[in-house]
């Protein structure tokens, strides 16, 4: 059972995991170095615990201690209890639904383990906005995808904002990093997947026909600004487009991925 | 032709339109009272001007003056030129792509004018996140929708963040506010539209069948947190759901709207 510690000083060193959460660069550095991630809000904290992640510590306002009683009962991690205005001084923002928890990351699985048994896989190149990363995990989970592979420079799906937008989909969807950017798509083809890159390239075909009849599908998505790299665009088995109204430049990547997942689910 | 004014003092009173852009509450108040909106980035500023909105003033770093020459040539509004670090002091954030412009709002059209000739209409109840409002406008424009109607408390599509995420779709897509929340959906039915509410309600049918064969369609979307109000859910002609994988609670509203627009476009 978690031990409750009442906190009156926002500078208390035991709160190190929760400090300056709005500083994205600092947090990226700190979280990868210390092997932790942050979950925010009662529902997402519970989902992380239920998915088997081990809490390092929790931070919450007094009124959330009862609501998260089941999570606190099941851990020996310390729980720091402090007033909401003090919590805001520590984290730098208004804490959504009053509860935060710091969890240990797990070692990432191998690509082969993630692909085993998967029929539909999302492959993200350099999606930089954590909101988009979270939204893509959530849409993929809801619309029939079994796993996610990330290029080396894609945004971290365990970053707080990605977890929150994804409603914890990243806890249950198998995912890992691709070790080799250059050979990533040919390696997937060799593993028996048809790689279909979503792009505005001239030789792209409507996605409905590009995925028709495909058994093992790897749907490949590029970054918000410039889309896929030429290497990934050219090394995919097929290039596909979502047919759009004349004169519109594109959908945003989260919307496009939701539509593409829906179409692929019905292939 | 715009007159260029070199600015050295971030407290210069002529910059009032551009002050404290990160303060959402202050901005909402200021922008509605003064009848203005803010466009950010070269592409979006140009799209606002091309759509016929009248600039009040512009603010940019020296290196953007050439790139926006066509916009500056076509207006008599003042253009304030200042170093990027001074611009950040005024606005409170790093200005994306170095250019901002303040435009006059136009009076909103009547609902009847917005509906005239429209076959597919989005109806948004209380979407509060401006990112979602912008994404929904963009998806609707790309995927065959002709107009958008907003409940009285829905987020402002001319808020800076909504414009940016929507890539200016709000400038070209006809839209207005519904004057009467309670009677909104029955009034649309009387006007010849079939109102289809996206919801997780027990009596909802798959959206593919709910929109099949519908001529004039009003697709109704609820807020991020709690979905549609009971009144709107019950006063819609049909309740529809996007079929999802077992155990997943829902898609986020921007993803759901993109998928629903795609399905409706192919009805």
């Amino acid at each position: 059972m978690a031990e409750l510690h009442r906190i009156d000083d926002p500078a208390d060193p035991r709160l190190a995991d929760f400090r300056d959460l709005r500083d994205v660069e600092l947090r990226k550095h700190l979280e990868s170095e210390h092997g932790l991630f942050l979950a925010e809000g009662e529902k997402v904290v519970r989902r992380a615990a239920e998915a088997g992640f081990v809490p390092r510590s929790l931070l919450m306002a007094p009124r959330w201690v009862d609501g998260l009683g089941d999570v606190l009962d099941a851990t020996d991690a310390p729980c720091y209890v402090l007033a909401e205005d003090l919590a805001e001084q520590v984290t730098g923002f208004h804490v959504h639904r009053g509860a935060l928890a710091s969890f240990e990351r797990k070692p990432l699985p191998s690509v082969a383990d993630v692909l085993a048994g998967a029929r539909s896989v999302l492959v993200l190149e350099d999606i930089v906005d954590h909101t988009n990363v979270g939204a893509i995990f959530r849409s993929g989970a809801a619309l029939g995808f079994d796993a996610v592979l990330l290029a080396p420079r894609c945004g971290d799906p365990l970053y707080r904002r990605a977890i929150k937008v994804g409603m914890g989909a990243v806890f249950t969807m198998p995912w890992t990093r691709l070790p080799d950017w250059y050979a990533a798509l040919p390696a997937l083809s060799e593993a028996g997947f048809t790689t279909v890159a979503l792009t505005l390239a001239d030789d792209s075909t409507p996605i409905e026909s590009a995925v028709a009849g495909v058994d093992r599908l790897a749907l490949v998505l590029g970054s918000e600004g410039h889309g896929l790299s030429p290497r990934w665009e050219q090394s995919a088995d097929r290039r596909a487009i979502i047919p759009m109204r004349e004169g519109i430049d594109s959908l945003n990547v989260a919307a496009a991925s939701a539509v593409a997942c829906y179409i692929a689910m019905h292939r």
Side-chain angles (χ1 to χ4, degrees), chain A:
Chain A
M1 186 182 293
E3 195 171 326
L4 302 185
H5 302 268
R6 172 104 215 161
I7 302 283
D8 299 307
D9 176 8
D12 191 309
R14 292 173 294 178
L15 304 183
D17 279 3
F18 302 100
R19 213 166 289 292
D20 300 324
L21 295 185
R22 286 190 66 168
D23 188 333
V24 178
E25 286 311 313
L26 172 73
R27 293 300 308 185
K28 279 200 240 177
H29 187 68
L30 185 152
E31 294 182 13
S32 58
E33 250 183 18
H34 291 270
L36 63 91
F37 70 87
L38 265 281
E40 178 184 3
E42 181 191 4
K43 193 182 278 190
V44 169
V45 168
R46 177 173 294 108
R47 286 184 182 181
E50 286 173 353
F53 288 95
V54 176
R56 289 162 56 100
S57 60
L58 301 96
L59 177 154
M60 62 191 69
R63 68 194 175 97
W64 291 102
V65 172
D66 276 354
L68 278 164
D70 54 331
V71 174
L72 295 173
D73 283 349
T75 179
D76 293 324
C79 177
Y80 304 114
V81 181
L82 71 178
E84 299 200 17
D85 58 329
L86 288 185
E88 190 165 340
Q89 284 181 49
V90 174
T91 61
F93 71 108
H94 178 73
V95 178
H96 179 70
R97 301 191 67 82
L100 282 166
S102 161
F103 287 90
E104 307 278 0
R105 289 178 184 242
K106 298 176 186 173
L108 289 179
S110 69
V111 173
D113 281 352
V114 167
L115 293 179
R119 181 170 175 259
S120 303
V121 179
L122 285 166
V123 189
L124 312 185
E125 198 179 16
D126 296 341
I127 314 278
V128 295
D129 182 324
H130 291 109
T131 300
N132 287 333
V133 174
I136 292 169
F137 267 80
R138 186 172 172 188
S139 294
L143 297 172
F145 275 69
D146 307 307
V148 181
L149 297 173
L150 307 179
R153 294 189 301 180
C154 184
D156 178 9
L158 286 176
Y159 188 75
R160 176 176 57 91
R161 176 89 187 140
I163 293 173
K164 186 175 160 185
V165 171
M167 289 299 288
V170 65
F171 302 144
T172 47
M173 177 80 106
W175 67 275
T176 196
R177 289 263 173 207
L178 292 157
D180 179 357
W181 168 79
Y182 189 82
L185 300 193
L188 279 165
S189 303
E190 273 171 44
F193 285 83
T194 301
T195 55
V196 176
L198 211 60
T199 160
L200 304 173
D202 288 340
D203 67 343
S204 59
T205 53
I207 181 164
E208 294 86 347
S209 54
V211 301
V214 170
D215 180 22
R216 301 188 87 187
L217 171 69
L219 182 65
V220 184
L221 303 169
S223 83
E224 294 88 351
H226 300 286
L228 288 167
S229 66
R231 167 67 190 166
W232 274 36
E233 195 166 273
Q234 285 151 25
S235 61
D237 295 319
R238 302 177 186 179
R239 280 155 291 286
I241 190 169
I242 298 171
M244 275 172 266
R245 177 185 281 180
E246 203 85 21
I248 299 291
D249 39 10
S250 71
L251 291 163
N252 83 28
V253 68
S257 67
V259 172
C261 288
Y262 170 84
I263 293 167
M265 184 172 66
H266 293 82
R267 73 186 182 269

